[in-house]
């Protein structure tokens, strides 16, 4: 069914190592328009590295990576920046600018990249997004005054402000309570519905994976072994490594 | 971007290798500054904000130090001059010492400690908490926004701070001379300005620009290349101060040679 859809990201034979440490060893992956793809994998398996390459923050050693039809390493800096407006990157540790208030954090990508917005329009957009992450009261606070979970949600809101076509969520629910996790999962789904966004969601949390993911991909030893629906990947899994990943999250009957 | 990868296998010994890698990286960093400083977009607002920060951070300490240096130096020089019955030359001597050497040096060292360390720490912590990456992915050039603005700010602020230090040091000196030799303010300053030449003032400003540039670029470089973790941030701050003080002394020596050569020509 998905094959008929437009591919927004196409990864073929991607390799990346740091010194003697081989992290990605021949990754193949497709992301289709309007789907949420969940990427699972052990800590240190290279999930963050993969999406950093996707956003042009790191460069692969070999292999091809096309985003919206553009081979990332072939772009010059200006072209890359233009493409980056279509890619939202929500960092594992939020990466809020700590010298700026929440409002200034949210404004930063907006005022630098979208011209001709009035003050009122900017404020409206910021308030709207803060509402949807449930934190309208924090608008004038500094990041140092926020809890880890609040920072994470502001980080996601900041990423959404440019309404990107592709969203990369790096562990959006890690370290959050179950209720907030639920809210974040809903937000991820809501973004997909509303803007037809394609997302890669990196997570260890199978509840999050199950409620947000249209497809799952499991990164094992530098490659994607299993790609498919939740049932295909986990419930029918034969591979011991996949099973143990599942058993850790749910006690298998 | 334009940095040499430090993951290559070592050619000679790791230490020597690391030194030259570091040198190449530093060179690339400085080259990148000159490449990006002239290319739009210009971050004027951020430059102004940084100038204000720098002034605000260093003014109290510089005021105090400048004033005290003026008093102490005058007081300590008096006996030697008096021995030759030349105590009336005090204003001229102080003026030359302050404008040529002490003003720029004292100001630069204080700014290296106060401003350089805070630039190193700030950029270092932005690096390790991925704020620099966040800027990058929101299509803002972090080098331009963070590095170019700070280096411009330190470069332009330092001469201003130096003139301010010079002024306060001379005021401190005047108070001391006024009390001991009963010299009036106009007499004192006439002597001060007679003693210094255009070359003195010009080279002092030029030197201050170089000191300011050094403080900014070293702080940014150390911060931008700080390694992961909070420990890395502390190291970056510390290394910024040590490195820029070291370079400031070297530059002071060089400028002394150059100015002397010009003066004797
Ligand atoms: N810039 C870098 N330089 C050197 N090594 C790196 C760099 N970035 C990542 N690594 C290494 O690559 C490996 C994969 O890191 P990555 O951050 O992608 O893991 P991850 O799958 O996201 O793990 P986690 O779930 O803990 O976030 C790690 O061993 C890490 O040490
Ligand atoms: Mg990670």
């Amino acid at each position: 069914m998905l094959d008929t859809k437009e591919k927004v990201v196409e990864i073929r034979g991607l390799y990346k190592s740091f010194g003697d440490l081989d992290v990605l060893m021949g990754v193949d992956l497709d992301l289709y328009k309007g789907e949420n793809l969940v990427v699972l994998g052990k800590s240190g398996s290279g999930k963050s590295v993969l999406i950093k390459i996707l956003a042009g923050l790191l460069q692969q050693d070999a292999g091809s990576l096309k985003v919206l039809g553009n081979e990332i390493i072939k772009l010059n800096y200006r072209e890359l920046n233009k493409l980056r407006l279509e890619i939202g990157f929500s960092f594992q540790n939020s990466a809020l600018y700590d010298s700026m208030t929440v409002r200034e954090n949210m404004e930063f990508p907006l005022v630098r990249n979208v011209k001709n917005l009035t003050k009122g329009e900017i404020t409206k957009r910021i308030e709207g997004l803060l509402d949807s992450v449930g934190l309208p009261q924090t608008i004038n606070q500094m990041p140092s005054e926020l809890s880890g979970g609040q920072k994470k949600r502001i980080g996601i809101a900041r990423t959404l402000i440019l309404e990107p076509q592709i969203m990369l969520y790096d562990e959006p629910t890690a370290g959050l309570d179950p209720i907030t996790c639920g809210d974040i999962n809903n937000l991820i789904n809501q973004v997909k519905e509303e803007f037809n966004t394609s997302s890669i969601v990196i997570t260890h949390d199978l509840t999050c994976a199950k409620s947000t993911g249209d497809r799952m991909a499991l990164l094992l030893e530098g490659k994607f072994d299993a790609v498919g629906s939740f049932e295909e990947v986990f419930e029918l899994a034969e591979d011991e490594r996949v099973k143990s990943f599942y058993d850790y999250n749910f006690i298998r009957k | 971007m334009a940095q040499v990868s430090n993951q290559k296998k070592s050619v000679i010994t790791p230490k020597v290798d690391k030194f030259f890698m570091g040198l190449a990286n530093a060179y690339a960093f400085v080259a990148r500054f000159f490449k990006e400083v002239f290319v739009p977009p210009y971050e004027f607002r951020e430059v102004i904000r940084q100038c204000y920060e720098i002034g605000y951070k260093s003014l109290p300490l510089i005021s105090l130090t400048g004033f005290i240096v003026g008093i102490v130096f005058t007081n300590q020089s008096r006996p030697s001059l008096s021995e030759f019955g030349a105590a009336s030359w005090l204003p001229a001597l102080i003026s030359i010492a302050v404008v040529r050497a002490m003003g720029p040096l004292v100001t630069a060292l204080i700014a290296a400690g106060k401003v350089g360390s805070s630039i190193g720490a700030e950029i270092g912590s932005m690096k390790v908490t991925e704020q620099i990456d966040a800027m990058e992915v929101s299509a803002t050039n972090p080098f331009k926004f963070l590095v170019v603005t700070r280096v411009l700010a330190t470069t332009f602020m330092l001469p201003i701070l130096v003139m301010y230090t010079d002024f306060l040091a001379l005021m401190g000196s005047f108070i001391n001379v006024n009390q001991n030799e009963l010299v009036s303010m106009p007499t004192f300053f006439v002597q001060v300005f007679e003693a210094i030449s255009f070359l003195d003032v010009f080279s002092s400003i030029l030197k201050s620009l170089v000191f300011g540039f050094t403080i900014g670029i070293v702080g940014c470089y150390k911060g931008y290349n700080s390694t992961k973790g909070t420990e890395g941030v502390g190291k970056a701050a510390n290394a910024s101060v040590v490195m820029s003080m070291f370079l400031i002394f070297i530059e002071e020596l060089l400028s002394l040679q150059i100015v002397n050569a010009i003066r004797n020509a």
Side-chain angles (χ1 to χ4, degrees):
Chain A
M1 174 201 93
L2 285 168
D3 278 327
T4 58
K5 284 197 177 179
E6 183 191 340
K7 280 180 195 166
V8 290
V9 175
E10 191 178 344
I11 303 175
R12 292 288 174 270
L14 202 70
Y15 285 80
K16 176 75 189 171
S17 43
F18 296 101
D20 295 332
L21 177 73
D22 294 322
V23 180
L24 302 177
M25 293 176 284
V27 167
D28 297 319
L29 194 69
D30 290 322
L31 178 69
Y32 297 95
K33 181 99 200 129
E35 76 162 341
N36 283 347
L37 174 70
V38 168
V39 170
L40 299 141
K42 267 194 339 192
S43 185
S45 59
K47 305 181 298 294
S48 300
V49 168
L50 177 68
I51 58 169
K52 280 184 184 165
I53 295 175
L54 217 160
L57 290 173
L58 293 172
Q59 290 194 343
Q60 70 262 39
D61 300 330
S64 127
L65 190 159
K66 282 195 188 136
V67 177
L68 301 171
N70 302 286
E71 185 73 48
I72 294 275
I73 41 170
K74 292 205 181 123
L75 299 178
N76 65 32
Y77 195 65
R78 185 175 298 167
E79 292 165 335
L80 180 61
N81 273 343
K82 215 170 143 221
L83 183 63
R84 275 172 171 161
L85 299 179
E86 299 301 338
I87 305 174
F89 196 121
S90 147
F91 283 84
Q92 194 162 352
N93 302 309
S94 336
L96 296 183
Y97 308 127
D98 28 55
S99 59
M100 304 181 195
T101 64
V102 168
R103 175 199 289 275
E104 287 161 349
N105 260 284
M106 309 258 307
E107 255 174 12
F108 191 86
L110 202 56
V111 295
R112 309 188 134 261
N113 295 307
V114 188
K115 305 275 171 261
N116 311 323
L117 279 178
T118 66
K119 273 227 153 71
E121 285 169 323
I122 294 174
T123 303
K124 215 174 128 199
R125 221 145 135 179
I126 293 174
E127 283 171 351
L129 273 169
L130 285 178
D131 272 340
S132 56
V133 294
L135 293 168
Q137 74 283 6
T138 60
I139 187 158
N140 290 318
Q141 283 179 302
M142 298 301 283
S144 57
E145 299 164 342
L146 304 174
S147 77
Q150 289 175 322
K151 279 187 203 164
K152 196 133 218 178
R153 285 188 276 166
I154 301 289
I156 294 177
R158 181 180 68 181
T159 314
L160 289 171
I161 202 146
L162 289 174
E163 296 173 3
Q165 288 187 47
I166 301 170
M167 274 295 296
L168 308 169
Y169 299 95
D170 199 346
E171 306 198 12
T173 58
L176 301 187
D177 64 275
I179 298 171
T180 314
C181 278
D183 291 346
I184 298 276
N185 294 343
N186 291 340
L187 178 68
I188 293 173
N189 285 328
Q190 182 198 329
V191 168
K192 183 182 82 165
E193 301 299 314
E194 210 168 306
F195 303 108
N196 196 25
T197 312
S198 325
S199 310
I200 294 181
V201 184
I202 291 179
T203 187
H204 298 291
D205 169 9
L206 289 192
T207 316
C208 168
K210 205 168 182 177
S211 58
T212 59
D214 300 312
R215 287 192 307 145
M216 315 282 136
L218 190 60
L219 191 58
L220 282 172
E221 284 153 23
K223 272 186 194 162
F224 284 110
D225 264 10
V227 181
S229 70
F230 191 82
E231 289 74 25
E232 283 164 359
V233 174
F234 289 103
E235 287 167 4
L236 307 173
E238 297 293 323
D239 193 318
E240 275 310 312
R241 296 169 302 181
V242 181
K243 278 190 198 166
S244 62
F245 203 92
Y246 185 86
D247 290 345
Y248 179 76
N249 278 266
F250 302 108
I251 303 303
R252 220 177 208 202
K253 299 196 183 74
Chain B
M1 286 264 127
Q3 301 214 345
V4 176
S5 158
N6 41 19
Q7 289 149 12
K8 301 242 167 66
K9 298 267 182 293
S10 27
V11 187
I12 320 169
T13 70
K15 264 208 170 137
V16 176
D17 234 45
K18 215 179 135 205
F19 175 77
F20 284 106
M21 277 311 184
L23 220 56
N25 269 339
Y27 174 77
F29 195 83
V30 177
R32 185 168 176 200
F33 171 83
F34 285 107
K35 216 178 85 196
E36 302 219 4
V37 68
F38 300 109
V39 185
Y42 307 109
E43 308 278 357
F44 286 120
R45 274 184 57 194
E46 188 61 16
V47 175
I48 302 293
R49 205 180 69 81
Q50 289 301 329
C51 285
Y52 176 79
E53 285 268 310
I54 290 163
Y56 175 82
K57 264 183 203 139
S58 43
L59 220 49
L61 198 55
I62 284 179
S63 308
L64 190 72
T65 321
F67 194 67
I68 289 176
V69 161
I71 294 178
V72 171
F73 191 65
T74 310
N75 216 29
Q76 300 285 19
S77 312
R78 182 171 292 110
S80 335
L81 283 185
S82 301
E83 244 175 70
F84 305 105
S88 62
W89 283 5
L90 260 177
L93 172 79
I94 303 295
S95 157
I96 287 174
V98 164
V99 173
R100 283 192 193 166
M102 298 223 297
L105 205 54
V106 166
T107 315
L109 292 178
I110 288 176
K114 210 56 194 159
V115 178
S117 65
S118 85
I119 290 179
E122 195 183 5
I123 301 213
S125 87
M126 293 190 76
K127 168 84 180 183
V128 301
T129 58
E130 297 181 313
Q131 292 174 53
I132 292 184
D133 285 344
M135 251 175 215
E136 191 93 57
V137 292
S138 61
T140 294
N141 182 345
F143 193 94
K144 215 164 225 162
F145 188 79
L146 299 171
V147 176
V148 172
T149 53
R150 278 170 178 74
V151 176
L152 284 180
T154 52
T155 308
F156 291 123
M157 280 309 279
L158 215 76
I160 296 174
L161 290 174
V162 165
M163 282 185 231
Y164 176 77
T165 312
D166 287 356
F167 172 73
L168 280 185
L170 291 173
M171 282 313 281
S173 172
F174 165 70
I175 288 171
N176 192 291
V177 170
N178 177 261
Q179 284 189 340
N180 290 281
E181 279 87 18
L182 307 174
V183 173
S184 73
M185 173 104 74
T187 320
F188 179 85
F189 277 99
V190 165
Q191 287 195 32
V192 161
F193 285 113
E194 269 174 1
I196 49 175
S197 65
F198 174 75
L199 181 66
D200 291 330
V201 176
F202 183 75
S203 66
S204 157
I205 290 175
L206 214 60
K207 191 159 72 175
S208 314
L209 286 170
V210 175
F211 289 166
F213 177 79
T214 306
I215 293 167
I217 201 101
V218 169
C220 289
Y221 173 72
K222 292 289 177 191
Y224 224 78
N225 289 290
S226 72
T227 43
K228 297 268 164 197
T230 35
E231 200 197 325
V233 176
K235 267 191 195 154
N238 188 33
S240 315
V241 179
V242 176
M243 186 60 149
S244 46
M245 283 190 175
F246 175 76
L247 289 175
I248 284 166
F249 281 118
I250 304 269
E251 286 160 4
E252 173 70 38
L253 266 179
L254 281 177
S255 89
L256 186 67
Q257 299 300 322
I258 296 170
V259 172
N260 276 345
I262 297 174
R263 196 169 280 139
N264 297 333

PDB file of all heavy atoms in Angstrom, chain A residues 229-243:
ATOM      1  N   SER A 229       5.016  -3.479  10.487  1.00  0.00           N
ATOM      2  CA  SER A 229       4.063  -3.029  11.498  1.00  0.00           C
ATOM      3  C   SER A 229       4.515  -3.551  12.862  1.00  0.00           C
ATOM      4  O   SER A 229       5.398  -4.401  12.962  1.00  0.00           O
ATOM      5  CB  SER A 229       2.675  -3.559  11.180  1.00  0.00           C
ATOM      6  OG  SER A 229       2.661  -4.949  11.400  1.00  0.00           O
ATOM      7  N   PHE A 230       3.884  -3.029  13.895  1.00  0.00           N
ATOM      8  CA  PHE A 230       4.251  -3.427  15.239  1.00  0.00           C
ATOM      9  C   PHE A 230       4.159  -4.940  15.410  1.00  0.00           C
ATOM     10  O   PHE A 230       5.067  -5.571  15.939  1.00  0.00           O
ATOM     11  CB  PHE A 230       3.327  -2.716  16.244  1.00  0.00           C
ATOM     12  CG  PHE A 230       3.784  -2.851  17.658  1.00  0.00           C
ATOM     13  CD1 PHE A 230       4.772  -2.018  18.155  1.00  0.00           C
ATOM     14  CD2 PHE A 230       3.235  -3.821  18.486  1.00  0.00           C
ATOM     15  CE1 PHE A 230       5.212  -2.153  19.464  1.00  0.00           C
ATOM     16  CE2 PHE A 230       3.672  -3.944  19.797  1.00  0.00           C
ATOM     17  CZ  PHE A 230       4.663  -3.113  20.291  1.00  0.00           C
ATOM     18  N   GLU A 231       3.060  -5.516  14.937  1.00  0.00           N
ATOM     19  CA  GLU A 231       2.864  -6.964  15.075  1.00  0.00           C
ATOM     20  C   GLU A 231       3.961  -7.728  14.342  1.00  0.00           C
ATOM     21  O   GLU A 231       4.563  -8.640  14.881  1.00  0.00           O
ATOM     22  CB  GLU A 231       1.497  -7.394  14.522  1.00  0.00           C
ATOM     23  CG  GLU A 231       0.314  -6.956  15.352  1.00  0.00           C
ATOM     24  CD  GLU A 231       0.036  -5.462  15.215  1.00  0.00           C
ATOM     25  OE1 GLU A 231       0.420  -4.866  14.164  1.00  0.00           O
ATOM     26  OE2 GLU A 231      -0.527  -4.868  16.146  1.00  0.00           O
ATOM     27  N   GLU A 232       4.212  -7.295  13.097  1.00  0.00           N
ATOM     28  CA  GLU A 232       5.220  -7.997  12.302  1.00  0.00           C
ATOM     29  C   GLU A 232       6.577  -7.978  12.979  1.00  0.00           C
ATOM     30  O   GLU A 232       7.279  -8.973  13.026  1.00  0.00           O
ATOM     31  CB  GLU A 232       5.357  -7.341  10.914  1.00  0.00           C
ATOM     32  CG  GLU A 232       4.237  -7.703   9.965  1.00  0.00           C
ATOM     33  CD  GLU A 232       4.176  -6.765   8.766  1.00  0.00           C
ATOM     34  OE1 GLU A 232       4.981  -5.817   8.682  1.00  0.00           O
ATOM     35  OE2 GLU A 232       3.304  -6.980   7.925  1.00  0.00           O
ATOM     36  N   VAL A 233       6.922  -6.808  13.524  1.00  0.00           N
ATOM     37  CA  VAL A 233       8.262  -6.688  14.080  1.00  0.00           C
ATOM     38  C   VAL A 233       8.374  -7.415  15.413  1.00  0.00           C
ATOM     39  O   VAL A 233       9.337  -8.119  15.660  1.00  0.00           O
ATOM     40  CB  VAL A 233       8.660  -5.207  14.225  1.00  0.00           C
ATOM     41  CG1 VAL A 233       9.994  -5.076  14.949  1.00  0.00           C
ATOM     42  CG2 VAL A 233       8.754  -4.576  12.854  1.00  0.00           C
ATOM     43  N   PHE A 234       7.373  -7.237  16.264  1.00  0.00           N
ATOM     44  CA  PHE A 234       7.547  -7.757  17.612  1.00  0.00           C
ATOM     45  C   PHE A 234       6.787  -9.035  17.915  1.00  0.00           C
ATOM     46  O   PHE A 234       7.343  -9.997  18.416  1.00  0.00           O
ATOM     47  CB  PHE A 234       7.173  -6.700  18.637  1.00  0.00           C
ATOM     48  CG  PHE A 234       8.187  -5.613  18.663  1.00  0.00           C
ATOM     49  CD1 PHE A 234       7.934  -4.394  18.064  1.00  0.00           C
ATOM     50  CD2 PHE A 234       9.430  -5.834  19.226  1.00  0.00           C
ATOM     51  CE1 PHE A 234       8.887  -3.408  18.060  1.00  0.00           C
ATOM     52  CE2 PHE A 234      10.385  -4.856  19.232  1.00  0.00           C
ATOM     53  CZ  PHE A 234      10.109  -3.646  18.643  1.00  0.00           C
ATOM     54  N   GLU A 235       5.483  -9.021  17.629  1.00  0.00           N
ATOM     55  CA  GLU A 235       4.707 -10.128  18.132  1.00  0.00           C
ATOM     56  C   GLU A 235       5.009 -11.421  17.397  1.00  0.00           C
ATOM     57  O   GLU A 235       4.879 -12.504  17.955  1.00  0.00           O
ATOM     58  CB  GLU A 235       3.220  -9.751  18.134  1.00  0.00           C
ATOM     59  CG  GLU A 235       3.027  -8.766  19.269  1.00  0.00           C
ATOM     60  CD  GLU A 235       1.714  -8.022  19.284  1.00  0.00           C
ATOM     61  OE1 GLU A 235       0.848  -8.311  18.437  1.00  0.00           O
ATOM     62  OE2 GLU A 235       1.567  -7.143  20.138  1.00  0.00           O
ATOM     63  N   LEU A 236       5.462 -11.307  16.163  1.00  0.00           N
ATOM     64  CA  LEU A 236       5.799 -12.507  15.409  1.00  0.00           C
ATOM     65  C   LEU A 236       7.309 -12.756  15.345  1.00  0.00           C
ATOM     66  O   LEU A 236       7.771 -13.618  14.612  1.00  0.00           O
ATOM     67  CB  LEU A 236       5.247 -12.394  13.985  1.00  0.00           C
ATOM     68  CG  LEU A 236       3.753 -12.062  13.901  1.00  0.00           C
ATOM     69  CD1 LEU A 236       3.351 -11.798  12.451  1.00  0.00           C
ATOM     70  CD2 LEU A 236       2.907 -13.178  14.483  1.00  0.00           C
ATOM     71  N   ALA A 237       8.033 -11.939  16.148  1.00  0.00           N
ATOM     72  CA  ALA A 237       9.489 -12.002  16.010  1.00  0.00           C
ATOM     73  C   ALA A 237      10.062 -13.337  16.426  1.00  0.00           C
ATOM     74  O   ALA A 237       9.614 -13.960  17.376  1.00  0.00           O
ATOM     75  CB  ALA A 237      10.123 -10.896  16.839  1.00  0.00           C
ATOM     76  N   GLU A 238      11.069 -13.791  15.664  1.00  0.00           N
ATOM     77  CA  GLU A 238      11.781 -15.027  16.006  1.00  0.00           C
ATOM     78  C   GLU A 238      13.130 -14.672  16.634  1.00  0.00           C
ATOM     79  O   GLU A 238      13.609 -15.351  17.531  1.00  0.00           O
ATOM     80  CB  GLU A 238      12.050 -15.842  14.725  1.00  0.00           C
ATOM     81  CG  GLU A 238      10.788 -16.301  14.018  1.00  0.00           C
ATOM     82  CD  GLU A 238      10.013 -17.323  14.832  1.00  0.00           C
ATOM     83  OE1 GLU A 238      10.669 -18.165  15.488  1.00  0.00           O
ATOM     84  OE2 GLU A 238       8.772 -17.266  14.826  1.00  0.00           O
ATOM     85  N   ASP A 239      13.717 -13.603  16.118  1.00  0.00           N
ATOM     86  CA  ASP A 239      15.050 -13.201  16.543  1.00  0.00           C
ATOM     87  C   ASP A 239      15.095 -12.933  18.047  1.00  0.00           C
ATOM     88  O   ASP A 239      14.280 -12.203  18.592  1.00  0.00           O
ATOM     89  CB  ASP A 239      15.431 -11.921  15.770  1.00  0.00           C
ATOM     90  CG  ASP A 239      16.908 -11.609  15.910  1.00  0.00           C
ATOM     91  OD1 ASP A 239      17.440 -11.735  17.015  1.00  0.00           O
ATOM     92  OD2 ASP A 239      17.515 -11.236  14.880  1.00  0.00           O
ATOM     93  N   GLU A 240      16.063 -13.542  18.718  1.00  0.00           N
ATOM     94  CA  GLU A 240      16.179 -13.407  20.173  1.00  0.00           C
ATOM     95  C   GLU A 240      16.378 -11.952  20.598  1.00  0.00           C
ATOM     96  O   GLU A 240      15.859 -11.507  21.607  1.00  0.00           O
ATOM     97  CB  GLU A 240      17.354 -14.252  20.694  1.00  0.00           C
ATOM     98  CG  GLU A 240      17.008 -15.702  20.957  1.00  0.00           C
ATOM     99  CD  GLU A 240      15.752 -15.874  21.807  1.00  0.00           C
ATOM    100  OE1 GLU A 240      15.655 -15.181  22.854  1.00  0.00           O
ATOM    101  OE2 GLU A 240      14.872 -16.667  21.424  1.00  0.00           O
ATOM    102  N   ARG A 241      17.181 -11.221  19.798  1.00  0.00           N
ATOM    103  CA  ARG A 241      17.482  -9.839  20.172  1.00  0.00           C
ATOM    104  C   ARG A 241      16.219  -8.991  20.118  1.00  0.00           C
ATOM    105  O   ARG A 241      15.991  -8.130  20.946  1.00  0.00           O
ATOM    106  CB  ARG A 241      18.541  -9.260  19.222  1.00  0.00           C
ATOM    107  CG  ARG A 241      19.869  -9.973  19.303  1.00  0.00           C
ATOM    108  CD  ARG A 241      20.761  -9.550  18.170  1.00  0.00           C
ATOM    109  NE  ARG A 241      20.164  -9.798  16.872  1.00  0.00           N
ATOM    110  CZ  ARG A 241      20.749  -9.534  15.719  1.00  0.00           C
ATOM    111  NH1 ARG A 241      21.928  -8.987  15.697  1.00  0.00           N
ATOM    112  NH2 ARG A 241      20.155  -9.797  14.581  1.00  0.00           N
ATOM    113  N   VAL A 242      15.379  -9.252  19.120  1.00  0.00           N
ATOM    114  CA  VAL A 242      14.131  -8.504  19.003  1.00  0.00           C
ATOM    115  C   VAL A 242      13.210  -8.870  20.158  1.00  0.00           C
ATOM    116  O   VAL A 242      12.589  -8.008  20.786  1.00  0.00           O
ATOM    117  CB  VAL A 242      13.445  -8.798  17.660  1.00  0.00           C
ATOM    118  CG1 VAL A 242      12.170  -7.999  17.535  1.00  0.00           C
ATOM    119  CG2 VAL A 242      14.393  -8.494  16.518  1.00  0.00           C
ATOM    120  N   LYS A 243      13.156 -10.166  20.465  1.00  0.00           N
ATOM    121  CA  LYS A 243      12.293 -10.624  21.554  1.00  0.00           C
ATOM    122  C   LYS A 243      12.698  -9.989  22.875  1.00  0.00           C
ATOM    123  O   LYS A 243      11.855  -9.532  23.629  1.00  0.00           O
ATOM    124  CB  LYS A 243      12.395 -12.150  21.689  1.00  0.00           C
ATOM    125  CG  LYS A 243      11.529 -12.901  20.711  1.00  0.00           C
ATOM    126  CD  LYS A 243      11.516 -14.360  21.110  1.00  0.00           C
ATOM    127  CE  LYS A 243      11.058 -15.239  19.976  1.00  0.00           C
ATOM    128  NZ  LYS A 243      11.361 -16.638  20.264  1.00  0.00           N
TER     129      LYS A 243
END
